Amino acid sequence: MMSRSYTNLLDLASGNFPAMGSGREFKERRRLPRVMSVPGIVSELDDDQAVSVSSDNPSTISTDRIIIVANQLPLKAKRREDDKGWSFSWNEDALLLQLKDGFPEEMEVLYVGSLRIDIDPAEQDDVSQYLLDKFKCVPTFLPPDVLAKFYDGFCKRQLWPLFHYKLPFSTDKSHRFDRSLWEAYVLANKLFFQKVVEIINPEDDYIWVHDYHLMVLPTFLRRRFNRVKMGFFLHSPFPSSEIYRTLPVREEIMKALLNSDIIGFHTFDYARHFLSCCSRMLGLEYQSKRGYLGLEYYGRTISIKIMPVGIHMGRIESVMRMADEECKARELRQQFEGKTILLGIDDMDIFKGINLKILAMEQMLKQHPKWQGRAVLVQIVNPARGKGIHVDEIHSEIQESCSRINRVFGRPGYEPIVFIDRSVPITEKVAFYSLAECVIVTAVRDGMNLTPYEYIVCRQGISGSESSSNVNDPKKSMLVISEFIGCSPSLSGAIRVNPWNVEATAEAMNEAISMGDGEKQLRHEKHYRYVSTHDVAYWSRSFLQDMERACTDLLRKRCWGIGLSFGFRVVALDPNFKKLSIDAMVSAYKRAKSRAILLDYDGTVMPQNSINKSPSREVISLLESLCADPKNVVFIVSGRGRNSLSEWFTPCKKLGIAAEHGYFLRWSQNGEWETCGNCSDFGWMQIAEPVMKLYTEATDGSSIERKESALVWQYRDADLGFGSSQAKEMLDHLESVLANEPVAAKSGQFIVEVKPQDVSKGLVAEKIFSSMSDSGKQADFVLCVGDDRSDEDMFEIVSSAISRNILSSNASVFACTVGQKPSKAKYYLDDTSEVICMLESLAEESDSSPCIGEDSGDSS
């Protein structure tokens, strides 16, 4: 049996998402506890959007439900003895089950994920109904060929190695990017999405998506439900931008993640790498507000959460009691009597550094012969979770190293390496933890790794247990851990090592087991305080609280979806922030008797990325038409110098120009340049310019532009990350050296500018409005258009001008920013092409004064 959605694999992988049903067929077949409701306004952008919820009215119903979506459900399954059906139970060791402890008691938790076993298609409906009724779990059944390509293929052979810093250098085709695997990954994510749709109440439910298996799921969900409240947590490392950017589908995955409301990482390093990718690939910069990191993305603020996961204290203590009952610790104590145990517990994976640990043990025995016959490294290897790359090779290498070391250093009754290559019951692991003097983790890259946490709790013991028979015994533990694992920053008492440096790791192991008991006890106490208070419930509670906070802002905004395939995103804007209606503006323009039109240049009438910065003939013609209307006062208000602006706009005789943010102002080509600022002493330039030169020499691709009233350092052609860092440093430097000068240093879009304090585009607008009012032509129509921070000063003045009586009391005011972004303007246009179209509409309605010898009926 094959899912109908499977037939559209190529459409999916290319991002052409077909429209899907609402899950009605499913609800008729199964009895769900709650029906899906889809209130709101139906968007008509495209076929898929025909069922998208824009829902301008935020829900007032308090949420009481969360849907956890992950690759696998937190269930155990086995075939019944009579071979008639399946027996299911909770997997008490599953993180997804344990995190429920951090949620409010009244919150209902549903799970969507796959099962570890193959269910016959004929049994899938019955199993689904049983799991929903009994466990509130909704299983996702993936076709076998899709599962193989999705999990063993794209997840384990593409994403897993890349996220652990392994590039596909091998010529083996199985390691190179395979688009069919990507197609299967997208399809699998769509199948998970369809299961979520079957149970979701989009107005109320929270959705928490887990890990790298489902990184494009947020796009499917956001496309269907614009206002869905959704978080994502990545449990693996996120690589540096240099590594991540080698992925051919890098932007598709990145943009999909940005459809979440909050994205969580274990460490700041992982978050920093993600933010660097956002900056380098998408031009997004993060901001920190009251301790929270956020990314502005089309009007939505995406929160970045940094919080390492913890362990479930109750579960560990329960297992410790079980181990006591089974007398595991006593058996092991007898087996290793008189020996100092160093312990390693790892999955069979090329990134766990198991062989490096074994080689470090060999080095320690060589360098410190006193441990020969006394120290034992017990290495437990859990079976590989999937068909990862090079697993067989690394397994053979580990076995060969163990055999060699045991031959060299072993003796009757003593083996320095005890290699346990089987699935070890958790009670036996706990017994080893309680016995080990030190735990060694030498992973070369790992998302979190909770082994050290579990060890610390087991060494603390529980009252009355066999391993803690004397409650007055000092508790002690030692850790030697790789600096490349996620738990490393939180364990400050551990001995951190570079696992690639075998000699240093060997010395760390010797130091750990040679350390005095008092020091071991202090380190253990410090670690136990952290681990016991920062458990899995603390982690999930913190994430849910931040997800609620992140989603609250979106509910206050108007939202709609734009873009195709994985370029889809939701635009969220303040309810009062609207796209400029050309018809409404033209209507007001025609009624007006005195008009003021203020236009920024770069990014407004001239595209920012244009190499030729001089205005086009079309722009010149439009400005001439507008200036020819005697009712109009038209100004270009720019940060550029007056010489270049004068030269470019020579054909526009009546055009006003405010250059260098208004320091120089001219009402028409025949007028004289006025100086608006009070600063006439530019000695400060001799202080600021040497500072800028220092940074220019150190920053390839940067340059200095010297204006008559200002200095500008621009780094548009520099490395984005380095240029931004240098700009922040320079700004601090300039503010320090210019503290007593009448100037202001400000950062802008790829620039740092120093200019007189009393000069701004806002003051230009105020001067123009006041002059018009003083001359008896108080403006009753104002159009003000700009695209960057300096234009916000204009928008601020425009919004208050009527109340200050420098505009007519019934004036029609249109403050408009270019691009959909937070702004003091009330309106926006998407880009410069829309600005030009808008000016064309005004020019067509302009009543230009007739030239001598021409018929007055001719209009420009």
Side-chain angles (χ1 to χ4, degrees):
M1 180 180 292
M2 184 180 293
S3 169
R4 285 180 300 167
S5 60
Y6 186 48
T7 59
N8 295 327
L9 178 57
L10 292 176
D11 280 346
L12 266 173
S14 62
N16 300 320
F17 309 144
M20 289 171 282
S22 63
R24 188 177 296 112
E25 294 175 2
F26 177 88
K27 290 193 285 291
E28 289 174 355
R29 188 171 68 249
R30 304 177 192 170
R31 301 182 303 278
L32 293 180
R34 295 174 69 173
V35 296
M36 186 186 77
S37 62
V38 189
I41 301 170
V42 175
S43 172
E44 299 178 349
L45 292 179
D46 55 35
D47 289 342
D48 191 35
Q49 284 290 304
V51 289
S52 177
V53 179
S54 58
S55 181
D56 279 345
N57 299 318
S59 170
T60 57
I61 303 173
S62 60
T63 184
D64 60 353
R65 202 166 75 153
I66 186 169
I67 301 172
I68 307 293
V69 192
N71 179 43
Q72 292 185 335
L73 292 170
L75 297 173
K76 292 179 180 179
K78 64 179 179 179
R79 194 72 178 171
R80 290 177 183 163
E81 292 182 2
D82 59 5
D83 201 33
K84 294 180 180 179
W86 295 87
S87 175
F88 295 91
S89 61
W90 287 115
N91 180 1
E92 299 291 340
D93 297 315
L95 174 68
L96 299 184
L97 180 64
Q98 296 172 352
L99 61 78
K100 290 172 63 175
D101 285 6
F103 299 157
E105 288 185 9
E106 65 275 11
M107 176 170 274
E108 182 183 2
V109 181
L110 284 83
Y111 293 97
V112 175
S114 63
L115 294 167
R116 296 173 183 268
I117 46 146
D118 293 327
I119 303 290
D120 188 273
E123 298 178 303
Q124 289 180 2
D125 282 354
D126 290 339
V127 168
S128 295
Q129 185 63 55
Y130 176 77
L131 293 181
L132 182 61
D133 294 340
K134 183 79 172 176
F135 298 97
K136 294 184 180 178
C137 290
V138 180
T140 303
F141 300 109
L142 302 178
D145 53 342
V146 173
L147 177 61
K149 288 186 174 182
F150 158 67
Y151 186 74
D152 293 325
F154 195 76
C155 289
K156 283 299 181 183
R157 290 184 174 269
Q158 300 286 344
L159 291 180
W160 181 257
L162 188 80
F163 279 27
H164 289 75
Y165 287 71
K166 183 174 177 59
L167 293 174
F169 289 126
S170 171
T171 56
D172 184 349
K173 291 183 179 179
S174 66
H175 301 160
R176 293 289 170 86
F177 180 79
D178 183 341
R179 191 156 291 274
S180 70
L181 302 184
W182 162 246
E183 292 166 357
Y185 181 82
V186 174
L187 174 58
N189 275 247
K190 182 190 174 186
L191 296 178
F192 280 91
F193 156 73
Q194 290 175 328
K195 292 300 178 182
V196 175
V197 169
E198 291 172 358
I199 59 171
I200 189 174
N201 184 345
E203 291 293 298
D204 299 332
D205 295 345
Y206 283 91
I207 298 178
W208 189 357
V209 182
H210 288 263
D211 222 4
Y212 66 98
H213 314 90
L214 302 174
M215 288 197 293
V216 299
L217 179 59
T219 286
F220 284 105
L221 289 166
R222 186 69 67 188
R223 189 176 180 87
R224 183 67 172 271
F225 309 111
N226 289 170
R227 288 185 177 277
V228 68
K229 293 172 282 191
M230 176 170 44
F232 180 92
F233 197 93
L234 183 67
H235 293 272
S236 78
F238 194 92
S240 67
S241 65
E242 289 77 11
I243 299 292
Y244 178 78
R245 285 184 290 151
T246 63
L247 186 64
V249 289
R250 59 188 190 179
E251 287 197 13
E252 288 89 334
I253 290 177
M254 186 68 65
K255 290 178 179 177
L257 288 176
L258 291 174
N259 276 315
S260 306
D261 294 298
I262 180 171
I263 305 172
F265 301 92
H266 285 306
T267 72
F268 176 68
D269 272 353
Y270 304 160
R272 178 169 55 86
H273 295 156
F274 175 79
L275 293 170
S276 176
C277 287
C278 289
S279 174
R280 290 176 177 274
M281 292 166 48
L282 305 176
L284 304 177
E285 296 297 332
Y286 74 91
Q287 292 181 332
S288 178
K289 294 180 180 178
R290 297 183 179 179
Y292 294 105
L293 295 178
L295 277 169
E296 288 293 330
Y297 187 59
Y298 290 93
R300 292 170 52 240
T301 300
I302 300 156
S303 294
I304 304 299
K305 175 73 171 175
I306 301 166
M307 174 66 72
V309 71
I311 61 174
H312 193 285
M313 295 292 291
R315 173 59 177 165
I316 294 293
E317 291 171 357
S318 172
V319 173
M320 289 167 68
R321 290 189 178 93
M322 291 168 55
D324 271 356
E325 293 172 3
E326 297 174 10
C327 300
K328 290 291 184 183
R330 185 187 306 167
E331 294 174 11
L332 293 175
R333 193 175 289 113
Q334 292 172 354
Q335 181 183 346
F336 294 99
E337 187 176 3
K339 304 294 189 297
T340 298
I341 298 178
L342 297 92
L343 179 64
I345 300 180
D346 303 276
D347 293 339
M348 178 49 67
D349 189 280
I350 62 172
F351 302 109
K352 300 303 181 183
I354 299 172
N355 204 39
L356 295 173
K357 185 190 310 180
I358 292 168
L359 294 176
M361 180 66 180
E362 178 185 29
Q363 185 69 21
M364 187 187 80
L365 295 176
K366 287 180 180 178
Q367 294 295 111
H368 304 278
K370 65 180 180 179
W371 292 114
Q372 294 179 22
R374 295 170 55 198
V376 177
L377 172 63
V378 177
Q379 177 61 56
I380 298 174
V381 176
N382 303 318
R385 297 187 185 184
K387 299 176 183 177
I389 59 175
H390 302 310
V391 170
D392 293 337
E393 294 94 320
I394 198 70
H395 186 268
S396 299
E397 184 181 329
I398 292 168
Q399 287 183 317
E400 183 182 331
S401 296
C402 290
S403 298
R404 176 177 53 77
I405 295 169
N406 284 337
R407 282 197 307 269
V408 174
F409 296 99
R411 63 187 68 167
Y414 170 70
E415 279 191 339
I417 309 288
V418 177
F419 183 58
I420 302 177
D421 185 18
R422 59 177 168 82
S423 183
V424 176
I426 189 168
T427 51
E428 188 175 344
K429 289 181 183 177
V430 164
F432 271 113
Y433 281 142
S434 63
L435 220 62
E437 193 70 19
C438 178
V439 155
I440 318 292
V441 181
T442 53
V444 295
R445 192 70 60 175
D446 209 348
M448 186 60 194
N449 200 313
L450 295 175
T451 297
Y453 288 10
E454 294 170 352
Y455 167 65
I456 290 163
V457 175
C458 290
R459 290 289 283 182
Q460 180 70 16
I462 52 177
S463 178
S465 74
E466 183 181 300
S467 57
S468 307
S469 55
N470 187 348
V471 294
N472 296 319
D473 284 349
K475 312 299 182 183
K476 57 185 189 293
S477 60
M478 278 305 299
L479 292 167
V480 175
I481 60 175
S482 165
E483 62 189 63
F484 303 121
I485 64 176
C487 67
S488 174
S490 59
L491 297 172
S492 56
I495 302 175
R496 298 191 183 101
V497 295
N498 172 6
W500 298 103
N501 188 336
V502 172
E503 291 78 10
T505 304
E507 287 302 317
M509 292 163 67
N510 173 64
E511 180 186 353
I513 56 180
S514 302
M515 190 176 290
D517 286 351
E519 180 67 18
K520 289 180 181 179
Q521 184 180 352
L522 290 172
R523 294 183 185 226
H524 170 81
E525 289 173 355
K526 183 177 185 180
H527 289 160
Y528 183 75
R529 277 196 304 272
Y530 176 84
V531 173
S532 59
T533 54
H534 293 72
D535 60 358
V536 66
Y538 178 88
W539 170 74
S540 60
R541 186 185 310 115
S542 177
F543 190 90
L544 179 62
Q545 289 171 351
D546 279 8
M547 181 156 59
E548 290 174 342
R549 178 186 53 80
C551 296
T552 300
D553 184 53
L554 188 64
L555 298 177
R556 294 194 292 263
K557 296 184 177 181
R558 293 183 303 112
C559 302
W560 64 92
I562 60 173
L564 299 173
S565 72
F566 285 109
F568 177 84
R569 64 271 188 199
V570 164
V571 177
L573 300 174
D574 187 277
N576 297 321
F577 188 54
K578 306 172 184 176
K579 186 161 186 176
L580 181 63
S581 169
I582 304 298
D583 291 341
M585 186 195 61
V586 168
S587 177
Y589 180 85
K590 290 164 68 175
R591 293 194 305 270
K593 297 179 181 179
S594 178
R595 313 179 187 113
I597 301 173
L598 280 60
L599 304 172
D600 176 42
Y601 185 67
D602 292 286
T604 301
V605 296
M606 170 59 62
Q608 282 282 12
N609 56 1
S610 177
I611 296 176
N612 181 9
K613 294 298 184 181
S614 59
S616 64
R617 290 185 179 181
E618 180 185 22
V619 169
I620 294 293
S621 175
L622 291 173
L623 291 176
E624 283 186 296
S625 298
L626 292 172
C627 291
D629 191 322
K631 297 179 181 179
N632 292 346
V633 173
V634 184
F635 264 83
I636 290 290
V637 184
S638 172
R640 288 189 172 272
R642 58 177 172 173
N643 293 332
S644 54
L645 292 173
S646 295
E647 181 182 346
W648 289 342
F649 292 104
T650 299
C652 305
K653 308 295 184 184
K654 297 182 180 180
L655 177 67
I657 295 176
E660 300 189 17
H661 298 294
Y663 184 82
F664 297 108
L665 185 142
R666 188 181 71 184
W667 286 83
S668 66
Q669 195 174 110
N670 296 328
E672 296 293 327
W673 285 102
E674 303 174 20
T675 301
C676 299
N678 295 322
C679 178
S680 57
D681 180 9
F682 293 98
W684 57 265
M685 285 191 176
Q686 297 175 7
I687 302 173
E689 192 167 19
V691 174
M692 287 188 171
K693 283 182 178 179
L694 285 175
Y695 288 87
T696 304
E697 291 170 2
T699 312
D700 187 39
S702 65
S703 61
I704 300 173
E705 179 187 358
R706 183 178 180 123
K707 301 178 182 178
E708 292 180 72
S709 69
L711 287 173
V712 181
W713 185 76
Q714 70 86 15
Y715 57 96
R716 184 179 301 277
D717 298 325
D719 176 88
L720 188 60
F722 184 55
S724 178
S725 173
Q726 291 287 79
K728 291 176 183 176
E729 181 69 25
M730 179 195 288
L731 195 60
D732 289 341
H733 196 161
L734 289 171
E735 287 175 346
S736 174
V737 299
L738 297 173
N740 298 320
E741 300 294 333
V743 293
K746 293 185 178 181
S747 61
Q749 195 169 24
F750 304 113
I751 65 165
V752 173
E753 183 171 24
V754 183
K755 60 186 179 67
Q757 285 177 340
D758 55 350
V759 172
S760 74
K761 290 186 178 182
L763 296 176
V764 171
E766 185 176 6
K767 183 180 179 73
I768 293 171
F769 298 153
S770 298
S771 297
M772 292 176 68
S773 181
D774 293 343
S775 63
K777 294 183 178 180
Q778 194 174 52
D780 58 358
F781 173 92
V782 174
L783 172 63
C784 180
V785 189
D787 78 307
D788 63 18
R789 293 181 190 174
S790 63
D791 299 307
E792 295 296 316
D793 294 333
M794 275 200 298
F795 301 148
E796 189 173 14
I797 290 295
V798 166
S799 63
S800 63
I802 294 178
S803 61
R804 296 168 58 194
N805 296 321
I806 55 177
L807 292 180
S808 173
S809 59
N810 62 347
S812 299
V813 177
F814 298 92
C816 178
T817 188
V818 181
Q820 300 173 24
K821 56 182 180 290
S823 173
K824 294 174 183 174
K826 290 185 66 174
Y827 303 97
Y828 73 91
L829 291 171
D830 286 324
D831 50 35
T832 54
S833 62
E834 289 196 354
V835 175
I836 300 303
C837 290
M838 178 265 295
L839 294 177
E840 286 176 350
S841 299
L842 296 185
E844 288 173 2
E845 301 299 333
S846 296
D847 180 20
S848 57
S849 300
C851 298
I852 297 175
E854 290 184 353
D855 182 60
S856 60
D858 291 340
S859 109
S860 308

